[in-house]
Amino acid sequence: MADRLPPELWSYIFDLAADENVIFYPGLPTSMTPSTWSRAIYGEWKVRTPQDTINITQRRSYATKKAIIRTCKRWQQLGTEFLVRCLFFDNPTKLRDLRHILDRDTSLGWWVRRLHITHFLNGRGPTMGDFEEPLLAILTQTPNLEIFIVDWPMSTAFGAIADTLGTYCHNLRTVHWHVPCEFISKVIWALESLPNLISVHLTFDPALKEPDTITLGSAESVRLILPHLQQLFLKGFCQDFMEQAAGWTLPMLNSFSFDFGANTLNVPDVVGFLAQHGATLLFLDLNCVPALDVRTILALCPILTAFCFNLDWKITSPERSASPTHDDTFNTTLDDVDLAPISLTNRPHEHIQHIGLHGCIYAFGVGYASAYLTADPLRTLLVQRSNDANFRALSPASFPRLERVRILSPLLLQDLNDENGPRAGECFERWESWWDACESMGVRLEDCSTGLLGTLPPEPVEEPDGSDEEEEDEYEYHTGDEEERTSARVSNVAELRELLEECRKMSAEAEQHPPLFFPF
């Protein structure tokens, strides 16, 4: 049967079977990308982040491709190119093995489209610099590389890697780089050499040397033009980079994410950046501890359809913000928070349909927040009152087209599951109040898995004794509508029939659902 179908049809079948449409989607996950639930064989549910999802998808895809090329000689001949199209490493030492393979067969590098190196040693063991030489050799042989993701801090190896990308990888569309903040000038020059980028994710670590000694040099005068850039994600110490990017030309930018972590000092000038680029944004995600000027920000982004912010922010009412004597410090009483109604907009925002909420860790009294309630009750109550005041501001008067509100913290969802819901008393009443408010507005209140907030996974059902079948993998993964296949069997004709059936199902689902990393 393998000889009866043309190679083009086999390529299409293999493409569907290996989840290529998901793996090669140029967009990167955002905070609105759904998390999913995974269940261990002993019954415990765990929240699986979007990054875990794509990593598992790549591993499963590789297993599927290996099963394909082992079926018969014809499939091996047709499927070898699929085996190298996506290269995923959770152990960078394997880069040396890949280099030797590409040296033996130089034609294989032409097929590589995605190279993903993930960080798994948590700071221990070798650094990315230890694998600089084999990685550079690999990049010189992959001229059609489209997606380059390195979750490891690249440190001093970044300069040579960036030069190689600019020289050999002209088709690059998506990059995820992790560098110290003193390498901002090298990042700017790297972006200047890659004008076709669509999606950029940059994580800036603290400087390796004194911050006062960092200079941009000639990169400070560069005015980049990135005509195709649609998604920009900045994380960490990105103050200088954001200041420079405010003067660039980014006509297609429609998604901007900013994650400042737990840092509270020297917050980047987000408002200044949005004053230049906010007019084209459809998706805006702001995650930091210090409160930002939400009303001004939303006024600068008139066509937003999705907006994410920290519900823990202490947002003042317009009257207090306009008062010259207003002091925005933590010297706020519970009465001040309760009695001061706030607004998140200067005028109704006509386009926002989706709102994502960071923070909220203290809202339901679960996890480590329950310990803070005893150790520092005043601070906990102040944050909870800010949560309530900000949630009340999500009204039809400010957001007439609002359709859904999503709590974005996977940690909070895990704590709710572990403790079987919100803490009894005021925290449970808060959940009921938020639920009733959304229901009265016709708005869907969701958790980060896109399920209704408060709807937790079912209790595990015990398998009867003597069951003949057991899962081979540690976890059984669920995506909502279907269970994912976690193993592959090869049985010639029977395998082909199963593969064709799976392809039909996936093709039908692809028409009904957006790509995995579509923001909502």
Side-chain angles (χ1 to χ4, degrees):
M1 182 176 291
D3 295 329
R4 298 177 185 175
L5 298 179
E8 293 79 8
L9 181 56
W10 282 121
S11 295
Y12 178 72
I13 294 173
F14 295 160
D15 184 75
L16 290 175
D19 289 324
E20 300 268 285
N21 63 318
V22 172
I23 294 172
F24 295 114
Y25 181 65
L28 292 169
T30 69
S31 62
M32 289 291 277
T33 304
S35 300
T36 54
W37 288 102
S38 63
R39 184 164 62 86
I41 57 175
Y42 46 83
E44 185 177 359
W45 289 98
K46 295 295 182 181
V47 178
R48 188 174 69 189
T49 66
Q51 189 57 61
D52 291 335
T53 298
I54 186 59
N55 291 349
I56 292 170
T57 300
Q58 291 179 101
R59 291 189 180 98
R60 188 181 66 240
S61 176
Y62 182 71
T64 301
K65 294 170 185 177
K66 289 181 67 175
I68 288 173
I69 66 175
R70 289 174 177 175
T71 301
C72 63
K73 292 182 178 180
R74 177 61 172 166
W75 282 21
Q76 181 179 19
Q77 180 183 358
L78 295 173
T80 300
E81 65 186 65
F82 286 90
L83 196 62
V84 298
R85 281 213 280 187
C86 172
L87 299 173
F88 173 73
F89 297 95
D90 57 7
N91 184 353
T93 60
K94 298 295 184 181
L95 290 172
R96 297 190 180 99
D97 297 333
L98 175 62
R99 177 187 181 180
H100 296 323
I101 293 173
L102 296 182
D103 288 341
R104 288 197 303 266
D105 186 351
T106 56
S107 65
L108 289 178
W110 192 88
W111 295 101
V112 178
R113 292 176 54 195
R114 178 185 177 109
L115 178 57
H116 185 164
I117 305 171
T118 189
H119 193 184
F120 79 109
L121 291 177
N122 297 321
R124 301 186 300 273
T127 65
M128 199 65 235
D130 297 325
F131 308 103
E132 177 181 349
E133 184 179 352
L135 179 57
L136 295 179
I138 292 169
L139 293 177
T140 61
Q141 300 182 65
T142 55
N144 295 316
L145 186 66
E146 297 178 7
I147 302 173
F148 180 66
I149 299 175
V150 181
D151 294 339
W152 276 45
M154 287 189 278
S155 188
T156 57
F158 176 74
I161 292 173
D163 290 342
T164 305
L165 290 173
T167 303
Y168 294 95
C169 304
H170 301 294
N171 292 325
L172 204 58
R173 300 290 184 270
T174 302
V175 295
H176 180 166
W177 296 332
H178 191 159
V179 299
C181 63
E182 65 258 38
F183 284 13
I184 288 178
S185 60
K186 294 184 179 180
V187 171
I188 293 175
W189 288 118
L191 296 176
E192 195 271 341
S193 67
L194 299 168
N196 295 321
L197 289 173
I198 294 176
S199 181
V200 173
H201 182 133
L202 301 173
T203 299
F204 294 99
D205 285 336
L208 299 176
K209 56 184 180 180
E210 291 296 329
D212 294 339
T213 64
I214 298 175
T215 60
L216 297 180
S218 58
E220 187 172 3
S221 60
V222 174
R223 295 294 179 263
L224 285 185
I225 300 177
L226 299 175
H228 307 291
L229 185 65
Q230 299 180 33
Q231 181 185 27
L232 178 61
F233 193 128
L234 301 180
K235 184 176 182 179
F237 296 83
C238 56
Q239 297 91 327
D240 292 336
F241 184 90
M242 189 178 297
E243 181 180 349
Q244 293 298 309
W248 298 347
T249 300
L250 311 174
M252 296 292 291
L253 187 66
N254 57 52
S255 174
F256 176 65
S257 300
F258 165 63
D259 184 353
F260 205 46
N263 304 305
T264 58
L265 301 177
N266 300 321
V267 181
D269 185 8
V270 177
V271 173
F273 177 86
L274 295 176
Q276 301 300 319
H277 303 297
T280 61
L281 292 181
L282 301 175
F283 176 82
L284 177 61
D285 178 13
L286 303 175
N287 184 16
C288 58
V289 174
L292 301 178
D293 188 349
V294 175
R295 287 184 289 273
T296 298
I297 287 172
L298 292 182
L300 294 172
C301 307
I303 63 173
L304 277 183
T305 60
F307 175 55
C308 306
F309 71 103
N310 192 337
L311 199 69
D312 296 345
W313 285 347
K314 188 182 69 173
I315 300 174
T316 58
S317 63
E319 293 77 11
R320 292 189 64 189
S321 296
S323 173
T325 61
H326 171 59
D327 182 18
D328 188 19
T329 65
F330 200 70
N331 298 322
T332 305
T333 66
L334 292 178
D335 291 338
D336 290 335
V337 177
D338 285 337
L339 298 178
I342 66 170
S343 174
L344 299 179
T345 60
N346 292 325
R347 61 184 61 85
H349 200 293
E350 300 292 341
H351 297 282
I352 290 181
Q353 301 174 353
H354 316 277
I355 288 182
L357 303 177
H358 294 289
C360 306
I361 297 297
Y362 299 96
F364 304 114
V366 293
Y368 73 84
S370 60
Y372 270 90
L373 186 59
T374 303
D376 192 355
L378 178 59
R379 179 178 179 83
T380 300
L381 291 174
L382 285 173
V383 174
Q384 290 176 340
R385 295 300 182 266
S386 294
N387 291 161
D388 291 332
N390 294 338
F391 200 92
R392 286 194 297 268
L394 304 178
S395 64
S398 296
F399 306 102
R401 296 187 61 188
L402 186 61
E403 296 179 0
R404 64 165 49 84
V405 175
R406 183 177 299 170
I407 308 297
L408 300 176
S409 172
L411 176 61
L412 175 60
L413 180 57
Q414 184 66 60
D415 289 338
L416 285 171
N417 180 70
D418 293 343
E419 302 190 23
N420 199 28
R423 184 189 184 103
E426 182 180 357
C427 294
F428 186 82
E429 293 173 358
R430 176 171 297 105
W431 170 78
E432 287 185 320
S433 174
W434 291 7
W435 178 271
D436 293 341
C438 288
E439 189 175 36
S440 66
M441 296 186 294
V443 173
R444 179 180 171 89
L445 181 60
E446 300 179 342
D447 57 40
C448 62
S449 70
T450 72
L452 294 173
L453 183 65
T455 303
L456 300 174
E459 292 293 332
V461 179
E462 294 185 2
E463 295 290 339
D465 294 337
S467 176
D468 295 331
E469 295 184 0
E470 294 183 359
E471 292 292 334
E472 295 181 0
D473 295 333
E474 181 182 2
Y475 290 99
E476 177 184 356
Y477 297 105
H478 297 260
T479 57
D481 296 334
E482 64 175 358
E483 293 186 358
E484 298 175 354
R485 296 174 59 87
T486 58
S487 63
R489 295 181 289 113
V490 180
S491 57
N492 295 331
V493 176
E495 171 67 16
L496 175 59
R497 289 173 179 168
E498 291 183 6
L499 183 59
L500 290 173
E501 183 61 28
E502 289 294 322
C503 290
R504 294 189 187 102
K505 292 180 181 179
M506 288 186 288
S507 181
E509 291 172 0
E511 295 177 357
Q512 298 176 5
H513 301 286
L516 176 67
F517 297 139
F518 193 76
F520 323 126

